[in-house]
Amino acid sequence: MNLGRPREFNTAQALEAAMQQFWRAGYEATSLQDLLDVMNLSKSSLYQTYGSKHELFLRSIDFYQQVSANDLQQSLDSSLTSKAFMNGLLEDVISEATSKKKKGCLLVNTVNELSHRDKAVSKAVLNGIDNVAGVIKQAIKRGKKEGAIKSTVSTDTLVNYIVSNVSGLRTMVKSGVDKAELTPLVNMIMKTVY
Amino acid sequence: MNLGRPREFNTAQALEAAMQQFWRAGYEATSLQDLLDVMNLSKSSLYQTYGSKHELFLRSIDFYQQVSANDLQQSLDSSLTSKAFMNGLLEDVISEATSKKKKGCLLVNTVNELSHRDKAVSKAVLNGIDNVAGVIKQAIKRGKKEGAIKSTVSTDTLVNYIVSNVSGLRTMVKSGVDKAELTPLVNMIMKTVY
DNA sequence: GAAAATAAGGACCGTTGAGTCCACAATAGT
DNA sequence: ACTATTGTGGACTCAACGGTCCTTATTTTC
């Protein structure tokens, strides 16, 4: 087995670099040349390994989604309370306001850029959102069990409420609203749930 | 005055068509040819009248923003109460979930697509958001005056709260969440303010 | 009706896009 | 060492991109 010349690059590492590029610039604005530069490989290697720009994008979304959901799950598992977890989540989102980058969330960005006219992309994004929302649902359930959640609203609606606000906050951060303005907003969101 | 051959097209009408196209497909994904098709004019006319694709985009954003802020203002002026206005606003947002189009909001879309790497666009979008937020601020103030708003949170934060949720709802709609799931969410948002 | 002015049509331009292909390099099995 | 197999570099294709420019058409002013 394992015939032929071995690959000179790490496929996971290259995929991560591609993902970062798509995250930074979006799909349309990322040229193949941009990808080759950041992934540090030749055109033929890219096409042989990933098929096309489009397929590479789909894999990038999946990669992002797995990492995100995983990080979130770990954060929840190591949080003392549901409330602490949720506060951390929202703080993380608005902490991006002080950084220079402001990449937002790849899933949210993608929905807004081309989810509506690309079936495969739409599916990948939906799947990613589901996974992330799954962790948030656990957090809400835990909060109810802990008696920390005052709201009588259904778990699913609370999950959507968090998703809506995280997505909204991300857009506001990206549009340049500064952290000082966002902090009281995060406090308010927390108070409406816990 | 008014020398030379008269224009064969209506500039406002053509601009509106361009705006619709950008709204539908975004900036990068809209080609010059797409614009010529929907605006129904020749390349030279477009460049003579609007300068470039980029300038045309800026004017489209401004057009959208003016119409949106105006519509919102009219809606507020003709609403019986602040609460009725806000409820109508949120219902409008999620009503798009049943339609086939799902264009979202041009300002939100633009923030996510290229606001972070195009200074002029960023400025135009920020201006638009300010105008829209201005109307919402009036609505919040009126709600406080009417004694309808229970929340003790500051007006500015409440405005940001609405903006965040409208933006979040729009993204959810665009990603394909259906109306039945969004209605309880809207109810919850309303209850946290009024 | 001539001249000045503006609009419109469309050929044309250079660049860049994604994607293909082929020659060459490097490995594993025999 | 030879062959089969896979990886890599880069020349190449061709269509689409935004944008320019020249010609022709239509109008107003005098």
Side-chain angles (χ1 to χ4, degrees):
Chain A
M1 314 286 132
N2 248 354
L3 277 292
R5 180 174 166 178
R7 259 194 210 97
E8 288 177 9
F9 64 96
N10 180 313
T11 55
Q13 210 169 297
L15 179 57
E16 148 123 51
M19 182 273 276
Q20 290 282 352
Q21 172 62 34
F22 282 130
W23 191 2
R24 213 176 306 130
Y27 182 71
E28 302 276 1
T30 292
S31 74
L32 212 38
Q33 195 52 55
D34 292 335
L35 291 168
L36 299 183
D37 290 348
V38 300
M39 299 172 81
N40 219 318
L41 40 82
S42 74
K43 209 171 259 201
S44 47
S45 297
L46 189 151
Y47 275 87
Q48 203 163 323
T49 311
Y50 305 100
S52 68
K53 184 189 174 186
H54 190 256
E55 284 178 64
L56 178 55
F57 185 56
L58 292 178
R59 294 187 56 173
S60 296
I61 292 177
D62 203 56
F63 183 88
Y64 176 89
Q65 171 263 118
Q66 275 179 30
V67 172
S68 298
N70 217 61
D71 284 359
L72 221 53
Q73 183 72 56
Q74 269 194 288
S75 166
L76 175 59
D77 291 345
S78 64
S79 288
L80 290 176
T81 63
S82 163
K83 187 175 176 180
F85 162 79
M86 202 65 81
N87 206 63
L89 169 59
L90 297 178
E91 286 293 338
D92 274 359
V93 170
I94 68 166
S95 76
E96 205 186 26
T98 56
S99 84
K100 197 93 193 296
K101 294 265 161 192
K102 288 167 194 164
K103 294 184 291 186
C105 162
L106 179 58
L107 301 176
V108 172
N109 296 354
T110 304
V111 163
N112 282 292
E113 185 186 350
L114 46 79
S115 206
H116 57 300
R117 62 194 154 86
D118 189 321
K119 213 49 179 297
V121 167
S122 168
K123 210 179 141 193
V125 170
L126 244 352
N127 175 54
I129 293 179
D130 271 1
N131 278 358
V132 170
V135 181
I136 293 176
K137 187 166 183 173
Q138 287 175 47
I140 297 288
K141 278 183 174 168
R142 191 174 143 190
K144 287 196 169 180
K145 203 170 286 175
E146 291 170 351
I149 291 183
K150 310 290 177 206
S151 175
T152 57
V153 173
S154 79
T155 300
D156 285 336
T157 299
L158 284 174
V159 170
N160 280 337
Y161 179 73
I162 296 296
V163 170
S164 170
N165 273 296
V166 165
S167 162
L169 284 171
R170 284 216 134 109
T171 300
M172 293 181 84
V173 165
K174 235 183 153 180
S175 79
V177 179
D178 60 82
K179 205 180 167 182
E181 210 171 327
L182 261 23
T183 300
L185 178 50
V186 165
N187 290 340
M188 169 169 179
I189 295 167
M190 285 298 295
K191 284 229 177 85
T192 56
V193 177
Y194 292 90
Chain B
M1 313 288 131
N2 247 353
L3 279 291
R5 181 174 167 179
R7 260 193 208 94
E8 288 178 8
F9 64 95
N10 180 313
T11 54
Q13 211 169 294
L15 180 58
E16 147 121 50
M19 182 273 278
Q20 290 283 350
Q21 172 62 34
F22 282 130
W23 191 3
R24 213 176 307 128
Y27 181 72
E28 301 276 2
T30 292
S31 73
L32 213 38
Q33 195 52 56
D34 292 334
L35 291 168
L36 299 182
D37 290 347
V38 300
M39 299 171 81
N40 220 321
L41 41 81
S42 74
K43 207 171 263 202
S44 48
S45 297
L46 189 151
Y47 276 86
Q48 206 161 325
T49 311
Y50 305 99
S52 68
K53 184 189 174 187
H54 191 256
E55 285 179 63
L56 178 55
F57 185 57
L58 291 177
R59 294 187 56 171
S60 296
I61 291 177
D62 203 55
F63 183 87
Y64 176 89
Q65 170 262 118
Q66 274 178 32
V67 171
S68 297
N70 217 62
D71 284 0
L72 221 53
Q73 183 71 57
Q74 270 193 289
S75 166
L76 176 59
D77 291 344
S78 65
S79 288
L80 291 177
T81 64
S82 162
K83 187 175 175 178
F85 162 79
M86 202 64 80
N87 206 62
L89 168 60
L90 296 178
E91 286 293 337
D92 274 0
V93 170
I94 68 166
S95 76
E96 205 187 28
T98 56
S99 85
K100 195 92 193 297
K101 293 266 163 193
K102 290 168 194 163
K103 293 183 290 184
C105 162
L106 179 57
L107 301 177
V108 173
N109 296 353
T110 304
V111 164
N112 282 292
E113 187 187 349
L114 46 82
S115 205
H116 56 300
R117 64 193 155 86
D118 189 321
K119 211 55 177 294
V121 167
S122 167
K123 209 178 140 192
V125 169
L126 245 351
N127 175 55
I129 292 179
D130 272 1
N131 278 357
V132 170
V135 182
I136 293 175
K137 187 166 183 173
Q138 285 176 48
I140 296 287
K141 279 182 173 168
R142 191 174 145 190
K144 286 196 168 181
K145 201 170 287 176
E146 290 170 353
I149 291 184
K150 310 292 177 203
S151 176
T152 56
V153 172
S154 79
T155 301
D156 284 337
T157 299
L158 283 174
V159 171
N160 281 338
Y161 180 73
I162 297 296
V163 170
S164 171
N165 272 296
V166 165
S167 162
L169 284 170
R170 283 216 135 109
T171 300
M172 292 181 84
V173 165
K174 234 183 155 182
S175 79
V177 178
D178 61 82
K179 205 180 167 181
E181 210 171 327
L182 262 23
T183 301
L185 178 50
V186 166
N187 290 340
M188 168 169 178
I189 295 166
M190 285 299 294
K191 284 230 177 85
T192 55
V193 177
Y194 293 89

